[in-house]
Amino acid sequence: MIVLLLVLVAVVTAVALGRGTGTYPRHPRTATGPPGASAPRGPGAPFRVVAAVAGGAAALLYVWGALCVGSAVMEAEDGGAGSSPMRPCRTGVAPEVSGRVVDYSVSYLPLRFRCETGDGDGYASADVPGYVNPGAAVLALTAVASAVAAGCATELRARAERRPVTGHSNGPGDPV
């Protein structure tokens, strides 16, 4: 499964980096500019790139965690020899604790596979890596913050362009 995650990350990285490595023309023609002139980049463009990459990484990490949860559910539902206690509930705990497991519960927000014991207590299975939930949350918040910053940068540029020119600059040499 780790190989699958690495392949997915490699593909997303290649697509994200490929946009600036010759896949698209470096100097597209603009309708108003001379041939070979590059189009002006918007003020929020770097923030939009960060938002897109962070959002994609958050989605990939969440999908990875959902695959781990789904795999744990499939193992738990698999009957037959060696199915008691449930396989996902055996890892990371003492055998006497896993022997008391009677059921499990699944949560998709946050991603969790919880093994429940007969006395009403329970513990989280080690089948879902501990970095998935905090990593996805940090990446998602980064994507949202970057998207907001891109919007603010674009709005500030638009307001600056609409601001009337008054002729009073109060620069060096101007009367106060």
Side-chain angles (χ1 to χ4, degrees):
M1 290 189 124
I2 291 176
V3 173
L4 178 64
L5 176 66
L6 291 176
V7 168
L8 288 174
V9 168
V11 167
V12 168
T13 304
V15 168
L17 294 178
R19 300 197 81 218
T21 58
T23 305
Y24 297 103
R26 291 242 186 236
H27 302 288
R29 289 185 65 173
T30 60
T32 59
S38 62
R41 210 166 81 175
F47 292 118
R48 283 191 286 278
V49 169
V50 170
V53 171
L60 267 174
L61 197 55
Y62 184 83
V63 167
W64 172 250
L67 285 173
C68 290
V69 169
S71 173
V73 168
M74 286 178 35
E75 283 187 50
E77 292 294 322
D78 188 22
S83 64
S84 181
M86 292 178 246
R87 284 186 212 127
C89 297
R90 293 182 204 169
T91 56
V93 295
E96 50 273 356
V97 175
S98 66
R100 298 183 321 192
V101 171
V102 294
D103 201 9
Y104 68 90
S105 62
V106 175
S107 170
Y108 290 100
L109 197 61
L111 289 166
R112 182 179 318 153
F113 184 90
R114 182 174 167 81
C115 302
E116 298 176 0
T117 58
D119 58 359
D121 199 13
Y123 58 92
S125 171
D127 281 6
V128 180
Y131 61 83
V132 170
N133 288 317
V138 166
L139 287 168
L141 288 175
T142 301
V144 168
S146 297
V148 169
C152 288
T154 304
E155 179 66 22
L156 288 174
R157 171 68 62 92
R159 286 183 183 185
E161 289 174 356
R162 284 187 299 211
R163 191 173 304 139
V165 179
T166 60
H168 297 277
S169 65
N170 288 338
D174 287 344
V176 178

